[in-house]
Amino acid sequence: QVHLVESGGGSVQGGGSLRLSCAVSGHTYYNTLCMAWFRQAPGKEREGVATIEPVDFDGSTSYTESVKGRFTISQDTGKNTLYLQMNDLKPEDTAIYYCAAAPHRPLGLLCPGGDEYDYWGQGTQVTVSS
């Protein structure tokens, strides 16, 4: 079982910044985990925000188009912690943000292509005012 705990959410004005953290614990080797951030705004579907591949592979990242150039996903393997640095926040970024994890796959796609992650945090609220 993998346990994820998000922190760092809050309320900011447009143009502000926040840094979200996701602490990972449990019976797992962090360096083999696919990690991701998702968000869900009121009345909208859950949306993938950013993903990062396991450190034991290439650690490559990807982002949804709306956050490219503003958000950065990263991880600290020494602390088993995932981060999401969010800059130039906009009201449309308002949502509950979740971190997610999944063991890497031995064949085919290394990581889930969508929201098919195995472990999820409880979420942290991000509110951006205009």
Side-chain angles (χ1 to χ4, degrees), residues 12-20 39 66-72 84-90 93 97 128:
V12 298
Q13 294 184 344
S17 298
L18 286 172
R19 189 193 193 199
L20 306 183
R39 66 186 180 185
S66 63
V67 309
K68 288 181 179 178
R70 300 188 297 120
F71 291 10
T72 302
L84 184 67
Q85 178 66 47
M86 305 185 294
N87 297 326
D88 191 25
L89 284 161
K90 303 175 180 179
D93 295 318
Y97 284 71
V128 185

Side-chain angles (χ1 to χ4, degrees), residues 66-108:
S66 63
V67 309
K68 288 181 179 178
R70 300 188 297 120
F71 291 10
T72 302
I73 187 171
S74 63
Q75 55 194 347
D76 184 337
T77 58
K79 296 181 178 180
N80 287 1
T81 301
L82 178 74
Y83 301 100
L84 184 67
Q85 178 66 47
M86 305 185 294
N87 297 326
D88 191 25
L89 284 161
K90 303 175 180 179
E92 51 263 45
D93 295 318
T94 295
I96 300 174
Y97 284 71
Y98 301 89
C99 64
H104 74 85
R105 282 79 175 274
L107 298 173

Side-chain angles (χ1 to χ4, degrees), residues 14-95:
S17 298
L18 286 172
R19 189 193 193 199
L20 306 183
S21 298
C22 175
V24 181
S25 62
H27 300 312
T28 187
Y29 181 52
Y30 182 89
N31 289 3
T32 67
L33 291 175
C34 300
M35 302 295 300
W37 288 99
F38 292 82
R39 66 186 180 185
Q40 188 163 25
K44 295 185 177 181
E45 296 292 320
R46 184 169 58 193
E47 174 190 28
V49 177
T51 60
I52 187 165
E53 293 184 349
V55 172
D56 277 0
F57 293 84
D58 61 9
S60 63
T61 60
S62 63
Y63 301 88
T64 190
E65 188 67 29
S66 63
V67 309
K68 288 181 179 178
R70 300 188 297 120
F71 291 10
T72 302
I73 187 171
S74 63
Q75 55 194 347
D76 184 337
T77 58
K79 296 181 178 180
N80 287 1
T81 301
L82 178 74
Y83 301 100
L84 184 67
Q85 178 66 47
M86 305 185 294
N87 297 326
D88 191 25
L89 284 161
K90 303 175 180 179
E92 51 263 45
D93 295 318
T94 295

